[in-house]
Amino acid sequence: MFFSNALIGLREGLEAALVVVILVAFLVKTDRRWALRYVWLGVGVAVALSVVIGAALSFGTAGLPDETAELITGLASLLAVVLVTGMIFWMRAVGRRFAGELTGRMDRALDAGPWAIAAVAFLGVGREGLESALFFFATVQSADETGLAPALGWVVGIGGAVALGIAIYLGAVRIDLATFFRWTGVGLVVVAAGILAYAVHELQEAGWLP
């Protein structure tokens, strides 16, 4: 579970980091540094909301009746599988023009005002944050092992993603993103299959599936 969580954290974290890198590089290159504060505002709110969602799911189900907790866990796990699987195919379809579309939205947001700038950053990072929160909850709940290993995997993966994002922005490292997302996508499909099986099991336990 440590390695699968580290993989998910690395993949989802790097997608979010790339959103930030693209937006920051665009604003710096076009000499619009004044807008950076609003980008960081949107990123901060997105990260905070993701943490709140993950914590609410993890701790909020602890005192619930078994059937209710199993139903919430099953539905959250199923939603995580749908979102992440959809994102894998979406990235394959728009990966080459992703940066152009993102900077285009930011260019329009600059004319609309500060809140629009923050919204572009929030939506770009928040989407990855929601997926991460749901996957974190699902993987930790489905883990057979005890202790900090599942959560530690997430910390290592996200930490690696942040470090890679900074290195890419500074030009210290160059990676073939198409190859990276292709192979990590394969790994995520395998992990998602396990989470799907767990979701079905929980929904069966809750009486929603035969």
Side-chain angles (χ1 to χ4, degrees):
M1 187 57 69
F2 171 86
F3 293 104
S4 62
N5 283 6
L7 171 64
I8 299 169
L10 179 63
R11 165 70 184 238
E12 296 296 312
L14 186 57
E15 287 182 6
L18 287 175
V19 170
V20 178
V21 167
I22 290 169
L23 293 178
V24 170
F26 172 72
L27 293 175
V28 171
K29 184 177 180 180
T30 57
D31 197 23
R32 295 164 170 174
R33 294 175 182 267
W34 61 267
L36 289 174
R37 70 185 72 177
Y38 302 110
V39 169
W40 290 117
L41 174 63
V43 170
V45 173
V47 171
L49 183 60
S50 301
V51 172
V52 169
I53 292 174
L57 287 171
S58 300
F59 297 108
T61 57
L64 296 176
D66 289 343
E67 289 187 0
T68 303
E70 288 161 353
L71 175 61
I72 293 174
T73 302
L75 291 176
S77 301
L78 189 60
L79 180 59
V81 171
V82 171
L83 288 176
V84 171
T85 304
M87 179 57 64
I88 291 171
F89 289 102
W90 181 81
M91 282 295 292
R92 290 189 62 182
V94 303
R96 294 183 180 275
R97 61 179 189 273
F98 174 69
E101 290 184 356
L102 186 61
T103 54
R105 288 198 293 270
M106 177 55 70
D107 198 30
R108 293 188 293 272
L110 287 165
D111 295 329
W115 294 114
I117 297 169
V120 171
F122 171 80
L123 292 174
V125 175
R127 178 179 55 195
E128 309 301 335
L130 176 60
E131 292 175 7
S132 298
L134 290 172
F135 242 120
F136 173 80
F137 173 67
T139 53
V140 170
Q141 292 296 314
S142 63
D144 293 329
E145 55 192 291
T146 58
L148 297 177
L152 184 59
W154 276 95
V155 172
V156 171
I158 293 176
V162 171
L164 271 177
I166 294 173
I168 291 172
Y169 177 77
L170 296 176
V173 64
R174 296 180 63 88
I175 63 174
D176 187 339
L177 292 176
T179 301
F180 172 84
F181 285 125
R182 183 184 307 118
W183 287 108
T184 55
V186 171
L188 280 187
V189 168
V190 174
V191 175
I195 298 299
L196 177 60
Y198 174 72
V200 170
H201 173 267
E202 290 298 284
L203 292 175
Q204 287 174 330
E205 291 291 319
W208 278 53
L209 290 178

